[in-house]
Amino acid sequence: MIARLTDPATASSLFDGWNETVIWSCLQGIMGCVLADDPTRPQSAAAVLGDFAFLAGAANPELIRTVRSHGEPRPLILVPRDAAWSACIEAEIKGNATRITRFATRKDPADLDRTRLLDLARDIPHGIVLSPIDAHLHRACAGADWSCDLVSQFPKYEDFQHLALGIVAVESGVPVAGASTYARFRDGIEIEADTHPDRRRQGLARACAAALIVAALDQGLYPSWDAHTRASLALAEQLGYRFDYAYDAYLVSSSR
């Protein structure tokens, strides 16, 4: 029977060497959870946080079914550890999973040039100001479709204030772009960046991300960037990140 581990670190050996920050968040018990087939000696496990589930250990179709029914109904990104998990996902979802390629960047703070990042943060159109996400801006981001993912993992502002960092570009008091915390792990954050559809290609997400990266580094936190698309990877490279590796993932709907 699949169950949530009360001690997520019990499954840590199944994820050894898999340097993804969502996994770290779950194993450290900071955010998300770990689902597994056994509470003391798991052979199959999933690190689940937000839209993501990272699948490790022995391929297990019951674990996939549990992940899909866990939490709120939503599309998921299933990330297989190996080919056996990929085959298991494809067999279990039966053609309703879209295979995609994501792009991991190197996790090396030496790649991030603070002086250049500050220059990028200042490169914004007249009338735009960058502001940390406070309670008012948290509500504003949560209330718009384009920006809700900037705060979606922290529905309560008190949790955001405690665990997260975020910067938004504001015009006439209204957010038009932002970069924020998707996940928090012990020594860093995973970055989420979004822009209002009408304000894209103006460097706003880049400026917000640059300011967020500096803010994180100044607090001794590593600002990790994992790219969903090549466009996201290109933005990351403008900010100083370097491509590490590509990996397969599957977009699937929830089972409810």
Side-chain angles (χ1 to χ4, degrees):
M1 179 178 177
I2 305 299
R4 178 172 180 159
L5 296 182
T6 55
D7 179 7
T10 303
S12 59
S13 63
L14 300 179
F15 296 94
D16 277 350
W18 203 355
N19 294 325
E20 291 290 339
T21 59
V22 165
I23 295 172
W24 298 343
S25 296
C26 295
L27 291 178
Q28 292 166 5
I30 296 173
M31 294 180 67
C33 67
V34 176
L35 303 176
D37 61 340
D38 186 278
T40 58
R41 295 184 178 179
Q43 300 300 306
S44 304
V48 183
L49 195 167
D51 303 326
F52 288 88
F54 288 80
L55 304 165
N60 184 331
E62 183 186 3
L63 184 56
I64 294 172
R65 291 192 291 272
T66 302
V67 166
R68 293 184 70 204
S69 62
H70 177 76
E72 296 296 324
R74 68 203 187 282
L76 290 169
I77 301 172
L78 303 183
V79 186
R81 179 98 203 232
D82 53 31
W85 269 113
S86 293
C88 189
I89 292 169
E90 292 175 5
E92 178 64 26
I93 308 301
K94 295 182 174 63
N96 293 317
T98 302
R99 189 168 183 163
I100 62 171
T101 301
R102 294 180 58 90
F103 307 93
T105 61
R106 291 192 349 160
K107 295 174 176 60
D108 186 348
D111 292 337
L112 303 172
D113 184 331
R114 192 175 187 278
T115 299
R116 171 169 166 72
L117 288 164
L118 289 172
D119 287 341
L120 292 174
R122 287 189 286 264
D123 186 18
I124 53 177
H126 179 73
I128 302 286
V129 295
L130 301 187
S131 176
I133 294 178
D134 58 14
H136 167 73
L137 292 170
H138 182 276
R139 287 193 299 273
C141 289
D145 289 343
W146 74 265
S147 59
C148 59
D149 282 344
L150 294 172
V151 297
S152 61
Q153 302 311 312
F154 307 90
K156 295 181 180 179
Y157 175 67
E158 292 76 13
D159 294 334
F160 184 92
Q161 188 177 34
H162 176 60
L163 290 172
L165 298 170
I167 302 288
V168 290
V170 179
E171 184 177 41
S172 301
V174 178
V176 292
S180 188
T181 303
Y182 184 84
R184 172 66 188 268
F185 55 102
R186 189 174 296 128
D187 301 317
I189 62 173
E190 182 68 40
I191 293 177
E192 169 82 21
D194 295 291
T195 305
H196 189 286
D198 295 339
R199 303 308 301 271
R200 290 172 182 164
R201 300 187 181 278
Q202 298 177 22
L204 296 177
R206 184 180 65 187
C208 292
L212 176 60
I213 291 166
V214 171
L217 293 174
D218 286 350
Q219 293 192 28
L221 300 172
Y222 181 74
S224 178
W225 190 291
D226 195 80
H228 183 64
T229 63
R230 289 191 179 277
S232 176
L233 177 61
L235 175 55
E237 290 173 335
Q238 291 177 39
L239 294 161
Y241 293 95
R242 288 199 272 174
F243 171 74
D244 192 0
Y245 60 90
Y247 64 93
D248 291 332
Y250 291 85
L251 293 177
V252 303
S253 63
S254 73
S255 60
R256 292 186 286 156

